[in-house]
Every structure is written in C-alpha cells, then in structure tokens.
Amino acid sequence: MASSPCGNGNFDSGLEIKTRSVEQTLIPLVSQITTLINHKDKPKKSERTLAAIHRVGQAVSLAVGRFVAVGEAIAAENQELKDEMGHACFEARRAGDAIAQLTDVGSALPSQSDGRVTVFSDRTGMVKAARLLLSSVTKVLVLADRIVIKQIITSRNKVLVTLDHLERVSTFQEFVQIFSQFGNEMVEFAHLTGDRQNDLKDEKKKARMAAARAVLEKCTMMLLTASKTCLRHPDCESARINKDAVFHRMRCALEQVIEIVTEARSCGENRILPASIYNGIKDFKSSVECLRENLYSLSPQSVGSQLEVLVERTEDFTDSAYTSHEQRQAILSLCQLARQDTQQLMHAWIEAQSVHAKEATEDMEVVILKTCQSVSDLRRELHKAAVGRASDLLKVHGEQLPLRALKAAGAEGNLEAVAEYSRTLTEQKEQLVETCRLLCHVSGTEPLEITCIHAEETFHVIGPQIISAAQTLALHPSSKIAKENLEVFCEAWESQLCDMALLLREINDVFEGRRDNHKNSLFPGDKRPYLSLPRPGKHSANLKTAKAVKLDAEEQTSIAKLGLELRLLSSDVDTEVEKWEEQEHDIVRQSQSLASMAYNMYLFTRGEGLLKTTLDLFHQAEVLSEEGLQMCSSLRTFSTQLVDEEKSVVMTEMEKLVALCQQLQMGAKTPVQGKTATFQKVDSSIQTTRGILTVVISLLPFCNKLNKKYKSERSSLGSPHDWKERQNASTPVKEEEALNSKNSNGFGVKSLEQHVAGLNLLESK
C-alpha cells in the first residue's frame, strides 16, 4: 500500500475543550471528516458520489487554509505563543493538503495504473490525516483561547490601576476625569467577560461569572455616588466607611472573574458551594438504590453515617428562630422516620449479607423503597419551609417600610430615628440572609446554589451600606449628593429583592421538574453562537466600533423592573405551554419563540446575553413582532373549527395581539436620534412586548382546552395518512445527500460582532 501523504507524524494535543466556541467550531469539521471516512466502500462509485467526495475534500482544504491564515496572524501579534501556534498551523495545513490529495478521486472509472493514492486505496492514510487535522486545529483554537484569557487579565489590570487612582482623588474635577476613563475600561472589561460567560461550558463557572459581573454592574453606580459623597463631605466617617465598602466589593468581584477564567483555586473555593441538603439527599438515595445491584459495594455503617450527616444539615431549619413550631415538628418527625427506615434497611442488609445473597432480597426491596420515600418526603417538607418563608418575606419587604423611614429620618437629620430604623433593617437583613441560606439547601442545581449564595452576600453587604449612607444624610440633611447616594443603595436593595423573587420561581421550576427553555437560541430556529475567540487586529480598539447608550440611574432602574416583568411573563408562557399535549402545535411553537425572544430582551435590561446594543434590541423586537403576527395567522386558522361564542373570544384576543405586534413593529422600525429618544424607544419596545406576552398567556389555556375538546371529537375520524408521512420522514439519507448536505460548508473561526458590553455606566452626574 502506498504511504500516506501525511507520513507517520504524531500530534497529540492532550487538550481539554472548556469553551463552546472551540467546541462549536470543531463540530462541522468533525462532521465533514466523518462523512469522508465513513463513505460506503462500494465497487462502483457514481459520478455524483465522486464529485461530492471531491467537493467536500476541497472545501475542507480551503477552509483549513483560511483558518490557518487567521491563526498565523494571531501568532504574529502574540510572540509568547508564536512557536506553538506556528507548529499547530503547519500541522493543520499539512493535514488539509493531505485530505485534498486523498479526495482528488477523478472520474468514476479511475485508471488502476495511474499510481495515485486516494481515499479509496488508502483509508488508513485518510484516518491519520483526519486525526492530525483535528488535533492541530484543536491546538490552534485552545491557544487562541489563551489570548482571550490574557485580554481579560490585561483589561482587569487596567481597571484595578484606575480604581486605585479613583480611590485617592481629592477634587471633583480630577474624579470626573478619572471616572470617565474608568467607565470606558469597565465597558471593555464587561464586553470581554460577557462573551466569556456565554462561552463557558461549565454551568457552575458560568453562574459564578454572572454573579461577579452583577456585582460590578451594581457597584459601578454605587462607586460614583459614594465617591462624590466622600468628596463633598471629606471629614464624615460614615461616608468614608460607605465608600470603602464599595471599593472592597469591586476588587473582590474583579478577583473572582480572574479566578474563573484562569481556573485558579482560592481559599474561598470551598465556601462557594457549601454542602446542601438537596445534594445530601440525592447522594443518600443513590447509595441506597445501588444496593439493588451490589450488596457489598458499601458498608451498612457508611450509609447510616451518610444519613446522620444529612439530618445534621437540617438543623439550619430546625434551629432557626424564624421556623414555625409546626414546621419544626414536621421536619423532626420526618428525620426520625428516615432514621427508622434506614435502621430497618441496615438489619435487612446485614441479614442478606449473612446468607451470601447476590442481590437485594424482597424484604430489602420493600425497605429500600420506604427509605427513599421518607427522605423524599423530608426534601419536600424542607422545600416547603424554605420557599414558604421566602415568599412571606418578599410580601412583607415589598412595602419597603424601613427604607422609606430611613430616607425620611435622614432627610430630617434625625439620628435617633435613623438608629431605630437601622435596627429594623438589620433584622430584616438577617432574615433574608438566613432565608437565602435555606434556599441554597433546596435549590436543586449548582448554578442556583451559587445564585443563592450571591443573594445572601448581597443582602449581607448592602444592609450596612444603606445604614452608613443614611447616617451620612442625617449628618448632612441638606446634601443632595448624600440623598442621591442613599437612593442608589436603596435601589440596589430593591433590585436584589426582585432578583430573589425570580430566584424563588426558578427553584420552584426545578423542584416541579420544569425546564428553562431560554438558554438555547438568540432568535427562533437559530443555534446560539458562542464567540469569544479572538481575531487578528488590535482587539482593544475593535471594541469601540459600536457605542452603547448610557442610561442614568432612574432610567436603569425603570428598565430593570420592566425586564423582570418580561422574565416572569416568559416563565408563565412556558408553564402554560407545558400543559399542551401537542408540543408541535403551531400555537405552542410560536408561543415558545415569543417567550424566548422576550427572555433575550430581559437579559438586555441586565446587561447580559447576546443583545449588546439598542440596535440589537430593536432588531429582536422586529423579529418578535413578525413571529407574533404569524401566531395571529395560526389563531385565525385554529378559530375556523370553533363555534360562534368560542370563536368570538379567540378572535377578540387575536385582534389585540395584531394591534400590539403592529405597534411593536412600527416602533422598532422608526428611527430616533439622541439619548432621551432612544431610551423612550427601548422603554416602549419592552412595554409593548410585555403586552404581547400578557395576551398570549390569556390565550394559551383557553386554546388548549378547546384543542383537547375538538381533538377528542374527531379522534375517531383519523386516517392512515399521518402514519405514512411519518414513515416517509424516517427514510434513510443517501450517501450522496449526506456529502452534499449543509454540514459540508467548511469551518473556521468567525469574527466577533463588536459590541459594547452590557454594564450601564455613568461617567459623571
């Protein structure tokens, strides 16, 4: 057999893929290579098959050439990676050329004497070339990913230097100048970290990154007003304490981002995810259920100890002063029941081992079921206690009475009243902190556990900051900046309460087995692009090609509240959609698309997600309005089977939907100029979207009920036509069609869309 054009070179990257951009870039290449290697080895090849193989091989080779050119350009700008990147690019180009040569199969009847080596005569050579190509391309991508990490670290270092300068300024003029620079640097840092957050495969790291970025977003506004207050009242101790706390928190958040992107281990790593009762119950049930297969993998004593550790964790609930007597007794009773069932299991287990049983006996099976049921009942009771308390607290704190009282007392210069209401706020803070801890126990997923910990830390930190801001105002009741500063911290508290309401809803969704469908797409039907890989050029300069609209504090708060309403409404749509038996119904699919796009708009209000600029938001609004009008068409078709009264209800709601979609479409397409007009357009788009979702939520249960009714009536009239269509849909795809499919369009590193990141910053006020 002729030797492979690649030779016997080995290239073992030994690299772990940790980001979606690397993974997604490799998928089409893997698909193409797999198609080439797995072609059917038939004696005769049709002209179409040979042409397709040749076309795919050439496409791979050309794409490799373009890809390598990008890699070499990146290497030229980053000397520390030049040798490694150069070697990987060389190997990739060599493998691409080999694949092009092997797929140069010519006509359907190649001469046996031409001596050419092809994919038909040297399958081993093709496999070696494919392995080398995948290995070298992966190496290039991972090296490029290191550059992204370097960019984030460099950006963080610039922010830290400017943060130090801000902390030491002594005049307003100097502060405004440096804060303007700080704002630009934070926009760049937020852009890089936002792309990185979207790109991470590890959901736990993604949640930690989101928490750190949320701190930076909120602290930027606090830093502005706290610093101005300190400059206005330089001898005020409470103002200095207030400002120092903000700077400390920002530095901690910046450090956390770097720990995530560099995978550094900090002394607080273990504190990030404390042992939760949910995980304890999950592990305990897993141990118990494993006994069905193997009686000797664990010892009875180890399972008993596992339960005791679990019961000990429930003391966070039973020892709490805020747990009712009834709830405490219910939890203690269920713990005792779990102990009894586990004791019975251990007796049956030991007895089965004594007679050398190979699998669980019938007695053991019964006790295994009882034990698993008792700990499941315990989990349900703990969930009920944590969620119930959180709901009650949110209702009580929703009125914001202590905050109002603190503002009033501070404005009056009444230090005694400020001290009294500070004690009330401190008690509320302690209740909220403890409730977040309990929610962490029952959250059900690691990302939600991290969100609970973030909420706990936020309440713990902002509570004292509100008090120090109120004390400053009480000492200087005529100070406008001190009043503004207190407002900013109170708004941060209110914002965290809104986030807690959302968190509570998500924990309930997990407990009830509902999935969040909003992680997969930016626009309906599109795969979400994960793009944090660099491209050649001066990256920091490229970040400024799109200018973000800067919102003041009042605008930012208004948009955030509207966004939260969108998030809750989109969740309501998902809940109603899940109740439909026909998940492929047009109304269901269109409702899901509307909810998904509304969720993207919600993320925009938080400075997250892939809608980076107002232009992105308006384009999303246009697409949403078009999908809404498509849903109106589906509703009109659906109404043709209804009787007059039912049809009238559907048509009335549909007309509302048409009007709202047209309003959203016209508003999104209307050009505006200036900051105020742009904000008004953003506000109007989100409010109209909220109206659209409200109508959809009212329609879904009614249409579902009618659909079930008419489906039942016509169930006996079905024909075999649908079955035939399903059979036709499952017909295997021919090899030629696979080779000519859309998956064979080449690959490469797509250039990043240059957007300014989502933190809302104020240069001065």
Side-chain angles (χ1 to χ4, degrees), residues 360-482:
T361 62
E362 288 185 12
D363 289 345
M364 271 195 73
E365 181 63 36
V366 171
V367 185
I368 286 172
L369 291 172
K370 282 180 63 181
T371 305
C372 290
Q373 185 59 50
S374 61
V375 292
S376 294
D377 290 343
L378 175 61
R379 182 200 168 197
R380 187 175 295 105
E381 187 62 34
L382 294 171
H383 175 87
K384 178 182 172 184
V387 169
R389 183 194 297 182
S391 300
D392 292 342
L393 278 178
L394 287 172
K395 288 175 185 175
V396 171
H397 299 339
E399 299 176 3
Q400 307 296 341
L401 295 179
L403 297 185
R404 292 179 192 172
L406 274 171
K407 291 176 190 176
E412 293 169 0
N414 190 337
L415 283 168
E416 289 184 4
V418 166
E420 179 185 346
Y421 294 122
S422 294
R423 286 190 289 272
T424 304
L425 183 66
T426 299
E427 184 179 346
Q428 285 193 357
K429 177 208 75 176
E430 290 170 356
Q431 289 178 355
L432 288 164
V433 164
E434 184 176 292
T435 301
C436 290
R437 201 170 296 138
L438 299 187
L439 287 173
C440 184
H441 273 306
V442 301
S443 57
T445 69
E446 284 189 334
L448 286 180
E449 286 179 27
I450 290 168
T451 307
C452 289
I453 293 168
H454 168 67
E456 177 188 338
E457 291 174 347
T458 300
F459 285 124
H460 183 75
V461 171
I462 293 182
Q465 288 179 312
I466 290 173
I467 292 170
S468 60
Q471 290 169 344
T472 302
L473 180 58
L475 291 169
H476 308 279
S478 60
S479 173
K480 291 182 179 179
I481 183 58

Side-chain angles (χ1 to χ4, degrees), residues 169-178 224 227-233 481 765:
V169 297
S170 56
T171 66
F172 271 101
Q173 184 178 1
E174 186 183 7
F175 173 79
V176 169
Q177 181 181 357
I178 296 176
L224 173 62
S227 297
K228 287 166 68 178
T229 303
C230 220
L231 286 170
R232 183 65 54 85
H233 310 289
I481 183 58
K765 191 168 181 178

Side-chain angles (χ1 to χ4, degrees), residues 464-514:
Q465 288 179 312
I466 290 173
I467 292 170
S468 60
Q471 290 169 344
T472 302
L473 180 58
L475 291 169
H476 308 279
S478 60
S479 173
K480 291 182 179 179
I481 183 58
K483 183 179 180 182
E484 181 190 14
N485 188 46
L486 177 57
E487 284 284 352
V488 166
F489 283 96
C490 288
E491 286 169 3
W493 179 276
E494 293 167 7
S495 174
Q496 190 57 51
L497 285 175
C498 290
D499 289 346
M500 188 174 176
L502 176 58
L503 172 62
L504 196 60
R505 192 163 197 147
E506 291 177 343
I507 289 172
N508 268 325
D509 285 348
V510 170
F511 183 77
E512 294 169 11
R514 293 197 294 264

Side-chain angles (χ1 to χ4, degrees), residues 19-259:
T19 58
R20 297 185 191 275
S21 52
V22 173
E23 185 177 72
Q24 294 298 317
T25 303
L26 288 172
I27 285 173
L29 175 61
V30 172
S31 174
Q32 292 169 346
I33 296 293
T34 303
T35 301
L36 288 173
I37 291 175
N38 293 341
H39 73 275
K40 294 177 182 177
D41 197 9
K42 300 175 183 176
K44 286 188 176 182
K45 305 287 182 183
S46 69
E47 289 284 359
R48 185 179 177 188
T49 297
L50 292 171
I53 290 173
H54 179 71
R55 187 160 51 252
V56 172
Q58 292 301 308
V60 168
S61 180
L62 289 171
V64 168
R66 292 193 298 269
F67 176 84
V68 167
V70 173
E72 289 171 342
I74 291 173
E77 296 176 3
N78 297 270
Q79 291 297 314
E80 70 277 14
L81 296 178
K82 186 174 182 180
D83 292 341
E84 280 188 275
M85 183 74 86
H87 178 62
C89 288
F90 171 77
E91 295 288 357
R93 195 186 296 277
R94 188 159 69 99
D97 291 344
I99 288 172
Q101 181 179 334
L102 287 165
T103 54
D104 186 14
V105 292
S107 67
L109 296 171
S111 170
Q112 298 296 320
S113 60
D114 62 5
R116 284 188 297 125
V117 179
T118 70
V119 65
F120 303 126
S121 62
D122 189 8
R123 185 180 291 272
T124 302
M126 173 60 82
V127 170
K128 286 182 178 179
R131 285 177 178 168
L132 178 58
L133 181 60
L134 289 173
S135 177
S136 55
V137 166
T138 302
K139 182 73 180 250
V140 171
L141 290 169
V142 173
L143 288 172
D145 194 58
R146 283 193 210 166
I147 297 168
V148 175
I149 294 172
K150 176 186 170 185
Q151 288 175 332
I152 293 174
I153 293 172
T154 301
S155 179
R156 186 281 308 257
N157 291 340
K158 287 196 297 183
V159 169
L160 277 178
V161 169
T162 310
L163 199 63
D164 289 341
H165 291 163
L166 270 178
E167 197 170 18
R168 294 195 300 267
V169 297
S170 56
T171 66
F172 271 101
Q173 184 178 1
E174 186 183 7
F175 173 79
V176 169
Q177 181 181 357
I178 296 176
F179 191 85
S180 177
Q181 177 187 342
F182 174 75
N184 291 331
E185 291 170 354
M186 281 296 291
V187 166
E188 177 184 333
F189 185 71
H191 168 87
L192 293 169
T193 55
D195 284 341
R196 190 66 178 181
Q197 177 185 321
N198 288 334
D199 200 13
L200 288 170
K201 289 172 64 180
D202 188 316
E203 292 297 330
K204 176 180 168 183
K205 290 178 183 175
K206 188 178 290 188
R208 289 185 64 209
M209 179 77 87
R213 293 181 73 245
V215 170
L216 292 172
E217 177 185 357
K218 292 177 181 177
C219 280
T220 300
M221 189 61 201
M222 296 176 190
L223 184 145
L224 173 62
T225 57
S227 297
K228 287 166 68 178
T229 303
C230 220
L231 286 170
R232 183 65 54 85
H233 310 289
D235 299 326
C236 182
E237 181 66 12
S238 58
R240 185 192 62 76
I241 291 171
N242 184 261
K243 171 190 159 186
D244 288 349
V246 176
F247 276 86
H248 175 72
R249 196 163 184 232
M250 285 202 78
R251 289 191 175 99
C252 288
L254 288 166
E255 191 60 33
Q256 182 173 326
V257 169
I258 299 306
E259 285 174 12

